[in-house]
């Protein structure tokens, strides 16, 4: 079994990962394969990617008995070069919108993986937990920053200080999940969300994701970033898709965007 497989249909890239017999633990080959998979879907005609673990769980995170020493190195360059950190960066920086379709266990580094996606659609029986405090470890600043951005300071502290797992409904109240879906509706809802995004104008969605990522950094935009944003907006205004959107509005029909 390959660590990751990709299926792209109707501009939707389904990316499945892991070994369900091992609860989809985050191995180095899996992390490296995820980076490559995101590169492939970015270069494809995909407009949205749905990321999910194989079987009935998302991922139990790292195998506790095999947590690598180099991810706890005291040299920033060594840590940043580790496959886990490179994978999380690839997820955060992917230009396509990413939907995490989560169910079962979402623990440790796997919680960071889900939180790094743009949307999290959770099966009603999902459990979320970040447990370094039970292991005697300090979690990475990049992972904590991702958690902080998604759930805010109070919820982040509760999660990391107590190491308590939370059910899907509580995770949604915190902002960790965008929505919680009953078991019978889960697959249909994930597909519907992906189709909604795929039907939107690709230049518009990618441009706004880029701007949101810049704004999430929490500092004033520098001149280069502002010019980048203005160029994205100008490109959208000059696009065929904008003209198609105007025509569809006038004609009261769904738009047919091409990404140009």
């Amino acid at each position: 079994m390959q660590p990751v497989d990709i299926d792209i249909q109707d501009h939707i890239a389904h990316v499945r990962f892991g070994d369900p017999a091992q609860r989809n633990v985050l191995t180095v080959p899996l992390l490296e394969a995820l980076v490559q998979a995101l590169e492939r879907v970015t270069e494809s005609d995909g407009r949205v990617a749905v990321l999910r673990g194989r079987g009935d769980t998302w991922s139990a995170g790292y195998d506790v008995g095999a947590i690598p020493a180099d991810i706890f190195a005291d040299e920033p360059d060594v840590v940043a070069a580790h496959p886990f950190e490179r994978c999380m960066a690839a997820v955060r920086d992917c230009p396509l919108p990413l939907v995490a379709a989560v169910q079962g266990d979402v623990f440790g580094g796997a919680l960071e993986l889900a939180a790094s996606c743009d949307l999290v659609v959770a099966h009603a029986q999902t459990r979320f937990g970040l447990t370094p405090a039970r292991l005697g470890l300090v979690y990475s600043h990049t992972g904590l920053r991702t958690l902080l951005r998604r759930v805010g300071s109070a919820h982040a502290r509760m999660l990391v200080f107590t190491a308590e797992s939370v059910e899907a409904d509580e995770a949604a109240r915190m902002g960790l999940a965008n929505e919680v879906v009953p078991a019978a509706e889960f697959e249909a809802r994930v597909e519907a969300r992906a189709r909604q995004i795929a039907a939107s104008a690709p230049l518009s969605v990618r441009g706004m994701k880029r701007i949101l990522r810049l704004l999430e950094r929490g500092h004033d935009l520098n001149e280069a970033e502002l010019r980048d944003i203005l160029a994205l907006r100008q490109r959208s205004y000059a696009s065929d898709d904008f003209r198609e959107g105007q025509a569809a509005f006038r004609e009261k029909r769904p738009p047919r965007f091409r990404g140009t």
Side-chain angles (χ1 to χ4, degrees), residues 210-259:
R210 167 70 175 154
I211 295 169
L212 285 168
R213 288 302 195 198
L214 288 171
L215 295 175
E216 284 173 344
R217 294 176 181 176
H219 60 69
D220 291 338
L221 298 171
N222 61 42
E223 184 176 351
E225 290 168 338
L226 182 56
R227 288 187 179 278
D228 184 24
I229 288 171
L230 296 178
L232 288 169
R233 297 188 67 222
Q234 197 282 328
R235 184 184 177 196
S236 72
Y237 187 76
S239 69
D240 293 334
D241 278 353
F242 175 52
R243 288 188 287 275
E244 166 62 13
Q246 288 180 310
F249 180 81
R250 288 193 301 268
E251 297 164 15
K252 302 186 187 313
R253 60 170 174 81
R256 295 180 293 273
F257 294 120
R258 296 185 299 171

Side-chain angles (χ1 to χ4, degrees), residues 1 4 10 16 32 37 45 72 75-76 102 114 130 151 154 217 230 249:
M1 179 188 298
V4 176
D10 300 325
R16 296 175 177 84
E32 291 174 337
D45 68 348
F72 288 90
E75 290 294 331
V102 300
L130 195 61
V151 306
R217 294 176 181 176
L230 296 178
F249 180 81

Side-chain angles (χ1 to χ4, degrees), residues 61-188:
Y62 258 112
D63 179 352
V64 171
I67 295 176
D70 49 351
I71 205 169
F72 288 90
D74 58 6
E75 290 294 331
D77 291 346
V78 174
V79 175
H82 189 274
F84 180 83
E85 293 295 338
R86 289 193 291 106
C87 182
M88 296 306 109
V91 173
R92 291 191 300 268
D93 296 339
C94 180
L96 288 182
L98 300 180
V99 178
V102 300
Q103 61 188 80
D105 292 340
V106 184
F107 289 159
L111 186 150
E112 182 181 346
L113 177 61
S116 297
C117 293
D118 298 291
L119 299 179
V120 178
V121 180
H123 187 290
Q125 276 71 57
T126 304
R127 297 186 304 159
F128 297 79
L130 195 61
T131 57
R134 286 188 189 159
L135 300 173
L137 296 173
V138 174
Y139 203 73
S140 73
H141 69 285
T142 51
L144 291 174
R145 182 168 55 202
T146 295
L147 182 65
L148 192 64
R149 286 172 178 162
R150 187 167 279 276
V151 306
S153 179
H155 291 315
R157 282 171 164 77
M158 191 279 288
L159 286 168
V160 300
F161 293 167
T162 67
E164 182 181 60
S165 63
V166 296
E167 304 297 328
D169 286 340
E170 179 63 18
R173 283 192 287 271
M174 291 179 173
L176 194 52
N178 293 88
E179 56 185 326
V180 178
V181 186
E185 303 170 20
F186 181 68
E187 296 298 336

